[in-house]
Amino acid sequence: MPTLPKSAVNLRGRRDNDVRAPAHRIEERHAPVGEVRTAQLNILAGFSLYSGATQVVCAAVFVLLAWPIMPMPALLSWLALVIGATYMSVRWLANTTQIRRDDEQPASKIQLAVLDNFLRAAIWISMPVYATLNGVPVSLTLAGGLIVVVMIVSGISVAVIPAAVIAWITVLTGGFGFAIWMTAERAVYVETAVLGAVAATSLAGFLLLARFWHRQIHRTAVLAAKRADIGSLLQEYEDRGAGWLWQVDAQFQLTYVSPRMGELMGQGTYQLLGHSLPQILDDPEKLGQILSRKKRFDKYEMKIEGQKVVRWVTLSGSPITDKDGEFAGFRGVGLDITESKSSHQRLQRLANMDVLTGLPNRAHVRTILGEALERGKANSVPCAILFLDLDGFKPVNDTFGHPKGDAVLKTVSRRLKDAIGSKATVGRIGGDEFAVVVEDASSRLGIEDLANRLIQIIGQPYVIDNIQIRIGLSIGCAFGPIDGVNVDDLVRKADLALYHAKARGRGTFCSFEPQMQVEAEDRVRLEHDMRQAIGSDQFSLMYQPLVSSRTQRVEGFEALLRWNHPTRGFVSPASFIPIAEESGLIEEMGEWVLKRACLDAANWPEDITVAVNVSPLQLVVPALPNAVSNALKLARIAPTKLEVEVTESVFMSSAGNSLDVLKRLRGIGVGIALDDFGTGYSSLGYLNKAVFHKLKIDHSFVRDAATRDETVSIIKAIVMLANSFRLSITAEGIETAEDFNRMRDLGCDLLQGYLFGKPMPFEKTLEIVGTKWEHRLVG
């Protein structure tokens, strides 16, 4: 990989000098000893010529001083010996240091360098010592001065090797000092003391210099090793193809780029160098503005349209400066996020899509309505929300079964989409409930015509497997911001209008009107009746069995609340549960259900569990764990016999409080199951909170798995997700042996549905606990 200027690219966006870690950080990593020896010899070789020249010049001066009073052959021989030793030392060091950068010098080379300095010092001092011991009248002061010069200049040169400088100074000063001492002249004691002081001071300084050089060599070697590691890591980073590196100058023209970017652009790297990065990426305006700020930026996302495919990348970069602190460009990294973006988009579509019909689900419809409402407020153009409820659909499921009911729902969704086209958005918000969001509802007559046309289209017969099915459609409508200034208000008003439309005989359309509040009064009366009914014989629990897919044995029951009103008869939970939630009765009703379910469960074997549905509004109440504990104590059953079931809607509001309550329940030992998983609000982010022990797959997945491979893939993904979080899986809506076998083979642990029985009274449960379902030919 080409080397970038100065240090390697810093993937965290730091400047070059940021890689210079503090001394204490560098010391944490030891440089290779061989690299240190190499650096010592390189420095010694760099000074060898200067040091040797000084020794030769000083030797020549001594020869001139001693020329008249000493034999010429001895002086010339000594000078030639000094010159020869110096020449051989310089040549040896030059040859020794002519190695590759990544080679390491052995310890023997350092030992030879010490020996070399020892021998050359002995050769040089031999003549001054000889002259002094033999009484040659050479000025001791001048000789001592020459020795000091040689000692200091050459000492500086060899100070990088402490042993060498010690040998050099010891031989020079020791030899000459010994010679002076042996003259036995009192007058030279002063010179001896001065020479010793100079030698000691010089040696101390040289050792300090050696220590400094050694630390610098060590730091340099560590930094070089770190840069090599960084280079290897960057090379690995580029070779794996996940990301790529780039650098631009002050004019934002590319000075370096990884081959990976060239592949993305369909060009060679050499073709990109020298060109403007914003122009190459076809984003001159926004990316140009980002670079012009000369500030660090992270994960700027853009689309690159290559010759064959479209790729998504992110860019991150940090400004770089020159030695004067002036802006010199940017360097950074790019990352190909095409796969992760595609996965995110698929998950987003799944989170916003109704699995059965492919239409926007409830959460997405609310989002679309909120956006339309905000635009309507800004542009003074009203929007509309139409709630569509299928009339007579429940008998279709009861008579012909859920598969045919699902086929009808799919056909209904196609008819709605074809009829509405691009004028509005249609979504599925419930089992047989749809919604239409009209952004431009300035014509109330046009909305009424659209509604009547939809009623007529949906009312046409459906032929499913040669069976003709007829259903109707009722529609309620609210206009925003006229009838409501927020999504919740509009939805409530549209729901009131829908309720009024169904009360008028169904197959009709109603817009919200203020007098519809009369209907709310009836709900108030129902609320009053509900208050009187709590704790009386009007409410009862029915139980639906949960069967093991492995043993086909009943392992538990789900408790289902029923209300037998004195005058209204059996009231659907779908009717009275919302009223209980709105009126605040849900807490009192929930406590009654918990106590009754626990008391009934006390009559079952210890390994048979009971599951109780808990409303999201109950989870907001901090006292719920206390109510659960009281119910368990009253019934004298273990916490493990009780499971609390919550739906994904629990995460749509007050998620923080709900999670706290769920964690407290889990702390008691109660099981927590997530019901109807995958049909509503996306709660994937909450599965890692360690509060759930079970996921319940909605019956719509079970029905659709028989005909759609996509649904089977989704169920497999849910099972894998549950296994990764160590959660068990329950599948609802098991109605046939084929459903049983399919969901068992897909990895579901427990199964629930009409195949094993409809909800039954408590007395009936005593007859089936511990039984198996082999007589139904399952498995």
Side-chain angles (χ1 to χ4, degrees):
M1 181 182 71
T3 302
L4 296 179
K6 298 183 180 179
S7 67
V9 172
N10 190 338
L11 296 181
R12 297 186 180 273
R14 298 173 182 162
R15 294 183 179 179
D16 289 333
N17 53 9
D18 289 340
V19 300
R20 301 174 185 172
H24 69 279
R25 293 287 301 279
I26 293 179
E27 296 302 327
E28 293 175 359
R29 174 172 179 171
H30 298 287
V33 177
E35 294 184 9
V36 175
R37 290 195 292 261
T38 299
Q40 289 176 309
L41 291 173
N42 286 338
I43 295 175
L44 187 62
F47 282 99
S48 62
L49 186 60
Y50 168 68
S51 172
T54 301
Q55 296 168 28
V56 170
V57 170
C58 289
V61 171
F62 185 85
V63 169
L64 292 176
L65 291 175
W67 186 278
I69 53 179
M70 291 188 69
M72 185 185 342
L75 289 174
L76 294 178
S77 299
W78 173 71
L79 180 60
L81 189 60
V82 170
I83 294 173
T86 300
Y87 174 77
M88 294 298 295
S89 177
V90 172
R91 286 293 305 274
W92 175 75
L93 285 172
N95 293 331
T96 298
T97 55
Q98 288 180 354
I99 60 174
R100 297 192 306 272
R101 181 176 298 178
D102 56 349
D103 285 342
E104 297 182 355
Q105 296 284 9
S108 60
K109 294 295 181 68
I110 298 295
Q111 296 169 356
L112 288 175
V114 174
L115 180 62
D116 170 67
N117 279 274
F118 179 86
L119 293 176
R120 287 191 297 111
I123 292 172
W124 200 98
I125 198 64
S126 62
M127 184 57 68
V129 170
Y130 171 81
T132 302
L133 291 177
N134 288 278
V136 177
V138 177
S139 172
L140 294 179
T141 302
L142 291 176
L146 291 174
I147 293 172
V148 169
V149 171
V150 171
M151 178 179 64
I152 293 176
V153 172
S154 296
I156 294 174
S157 303
V158 299
V160 69
I161 303 177
V165 74
I166 291 174
W168 182 262
I169 292 179
T170 300
V171 171
L172 290 180
T173 58
F176 194 60
F178 172 77
I180 294 175
W181 182 267
M182 294 302 295
T183 60
E185 296 180 9
R186 298 180 58 84
V188 300
Y189 290 165
V190 176
E191 285 84 347
T192 304
V194 171
L195 181 62
V198 171
T201 304
S202 300
L203 181 60
F206 293 151
L207 291 178
L208 288 176
L209 180 61
R211 182 180 179 184
F212 171 77
W213 273 3
H214 190 271
R215 291 175 64 180
Q216 290 298 109
I217 291 172
H218 184 269
R219 287 168 59 88
T220 302
V222 169
L223 289 175
K226 285 189 174 183
R227 290 193 180 100
D229 290 344
I230 292 174
S232 298
L233 289 173
L234 295 177
Q235 183 69 53
E236 180 72 12
Y237 177 76
E238 290 190 306
D239 290 345
R240 289 186 177 274
W244 36 276
L245 310 176
W246 59 272
Q247 179 170 314
V248 297
D249 57 20
Q251 287 73 43
F252 312 139
Q253 294 179 342
L254 281 170
T255 58
Y256 173 80
V257 66
S258 302
R260 175 61 176 162
M261 182 179 175
E263 295 175 6
L264 291 174
M265 302 303 299
Q267 301 182 54
T269 304
Y270 69 93
Q271 295 176 298
L272 301 177
L273 296 177
H275 293 278
S276 169
L277 179 62
Q279 294 292 340
I280 290 175
L281 298 178
D282 197 22
D283 190 9
E285 184 174 351
K286 192 167 182 181
L287 180 57
Q289 291 177 353
I290 292 175
L291 296 177
S292 298
R293 298 189 190 112
K294 301 179 181 179
K295 296 181 180 179
R296 175 178 173 174
F297 63 94
D298 291 310
K299 296 180 179 179
Y300 171 62
E301 188 175 302
M302 64 177 60
K303 180 171 66 173
I304 296 181
E305 298 185 4
Q307 296 178 346
K308 297 182 179 179
V309 296
V310 175
R311 310 294 294 181
W312 285 89
V313 302
T314 60
L315 287 185
S316 300
S318 297
I320 54 178
T321 57
D322 57 21
K323 60 182 179 180
D324 299 323
E326 297 294 330
F327 174 73
F330 275 90
R331 66 165 58 107
V333 298
L335 185 64
D336 189 342
I337 61 168
T338 305
E339 295 301 324
S340 62
K341 189 174 183 67
S342 298
S343 299
H344 175 74
Q345 290 174 344
R346 286 194 295 268
L347 289 174
Q348 195 70 26
R349 286 195 297 269
L350 180 61
N352 293 328
M353 181 187 69
D354 174 67
V355 176
L356 179 64
T357 63
L359 297 176
N361 59 16
R362 178 187 294 271
H364 197 195
V365 168
R366 289 176 60 89
T367 300
I368 295 171
L369 177 60
E371 294 171 352
L373 183 59
E374 292 303 318
R375 285 191 291 267
K377 294 177 182 177
N379 302 327
S380 299
V381 177
C383 64
I385 173 70
L386 284 73
F387 274 10
L388 289 63
D389 186 82
L390 299 181
D391 301 328
F393 179 75
K394 187 176 183 302
V396 174
N397 279 335
D398 295 341
T399 304
F400 303 108
H402 288 289
K404 289 185 173 56
D406 289 346
V408 172
L409 291 175
K410 293 178 183 179
T411 306
V412 167
S413 67
R414 286 195 297 269
R415 292 185 183 183
L416 291 174
K417 286 192 294 185
D418 293 341
I420 292 173
S422 60
K423 298 178 182 178
T425 302
V426 58
R428 184 187 180 208
I429 60 175
D432 59 349
E433 297 177 351
F434 295 81
V436 175
V437 178
V438 182
E439 186 163 339
D440 184 357
S442 53
S443 172
R444 285 183 174 251
L445 182 59
I447 297 297
E448 185 175 352
D449 290 341
L450 172 63
N452 290 330
R453 189 166 71 254
L454 295 179
I455 291 173
Q456 181 182 5
I457 293 173
I458 300 303
Q460 297 296 319
Y462 299 81
V463 179
I464 308 295
D465 295 336
N466 298 321
I467 299 175
Q468 188 178 84
I469 299 174
R470 287 184 176 271
I471 57 175
L473 182 66
S474 297
I475 302 178
C477 174
F479 294 86
I482 301 168
D483 297 328
V485 295
N486 57 54
V487 172
D488 290 334
D489 201 12
L490 274 179
V491 167
R492 186 168 55 254
K493 299 295 177 57
D495 196 35
L496 284 173
L498 175 61
Y499 187 86
H500 189 70
K502 296 181 77 70
R504 286 172 51 181
R506 303 183 179 182
T508 59
F509 164 75
C510 284
S511 297
F512 173 77
E513 297 178 2
Q515 58 264 34
M516 290 182 182
Q517 295 298 331
V518 175
E519 180 183 340
E521 295 177 2
D522 182 63
R523 294 168 67 89
V524 172
R525 288 192 292 270
L526 192 61
E527 176 188 335
H528 177 268
D529 295 342
M530 194 183 306
R531 292 183 186 275
Q532 302 299 320
I534 294 177
S536 69
D537 294 335
Q538 294 183 35
F539 281 105
S540 62
L541 292 183
M542 304 290 282
Y543 296 93
Q544 188 170 30
L546 298 168
V547 177
S548 169
S549 64
R550 182 174 56 87
T551 66
Q552 301 184 28
R553 179 180 177 272
V554 175
E555 294 195 356
F557 294 90
E558 180 180 357
L560 303 171
L561 182 61
R562 296 293 184 261
W563 183 12
N564 186 11
H565 193 277
T567 60
R568 298 174 184 254
F570 283 100
V571 182
S572 169
S575 299
F576 67 80
I577 292 296
I579 298 176
E581 291 177 335
E582 293 176 6
S583 63
L585 290 174
I586 193 65
E587 183 178 356
E588 184 179 357
M589 183 181 295
E591 290 186 13
W592 181 88
V593 171
L594 283 169
K595 291 178 181 178
R596 184 70 266 164
C598 290
L599 289 172
D600 288 345
N603 296 282
W604 300 331
E606 292 184 0
D607 59 341
I608 302 298
T609 62
V610 62
V612 176
N613 290 280
V614 175
S615 165
L617 294 182
Q618 288 179 264
L619 292 174
V620 181
V621 180
L624 179 62
N626 295 334
V628 171
S629 296
N630 293 335
L632 293 172
K633 292 178 181 178
L634 180 64
R636 298 182 180 180
I637 63 174
T640 53
K641 281 184 69 69
L642 176 63
E643 293 181 358
V644 172
E645 292 189 5
V646 298
T647 61
E648 293 183 311
S649 60
V650 70
F651 302 115
M652 297 189 67
S653 61
S654 305
N657 293 338
S658 300
L659 280 175
D660 290 340
V661 174
L662 288 174
K663 289 179 180 178
R664 290 174 59 195
L665 290 174
R666 201 74 174 106
I668 295 173
V670 173
I672 310 292
L674 185 56
D675 198 8
D676 298 338
F677 182 76
T679 60
Y681 183 78
S682 177
S683 56
L684 297 179
Y686 292 94
L687 291 183
N688 62 351
K689 303 298 183 181
V691 294
F692 297 107
H693 85 295
K694 178 188 292 185
L695 294 182
K696 298 191 71 175
I697 299 177
D698 186 68
H699 61 82
S700 62
F701 288 93
V702 176
R703 293 196 305 270
D704 211 32
T707 57
R708 298 185 64 183
D709 293 338
E710 296 87 351
T711 303
V712 173
S713 298
I714 293 174
I715 294 175
K716 289 180 179 178
I718 293 175
V719 172
M720 291 179 61
L721 182 68
N723 291 337
S724 66
F725 285 104
R726 298 181 180 178
L727 307 178
S728 63
I729 289 286
T730 298
E732 300 177 302
I734 304 299
E735 298 185 351
T736 65
E738 289 76 12
D739 291 340
F740 182 102
N741 293 326
R742 185 180 304 107
M743 301 312 294
R744 178 195 59 192
D745 295 341
L746 287 174
C748 295
D749 304 298
L750 294 175
L751 304 174
Q752 178 182 357
Y754 284 0
L755 176 64
F756 313 110
K758 296 182 178 180
M760 61 189 69
F762 166 70
E763 293 75 16
K764 181 66 175 177
T765 64
L766 299 176
E767 301 176 9
I768 67 171
V769 289
T771 61
K772 299 177 69 174
W773 299 93
E774 296 166 325
H775 63 284
R776 292 187 179 270
L777 303 180
V778 177

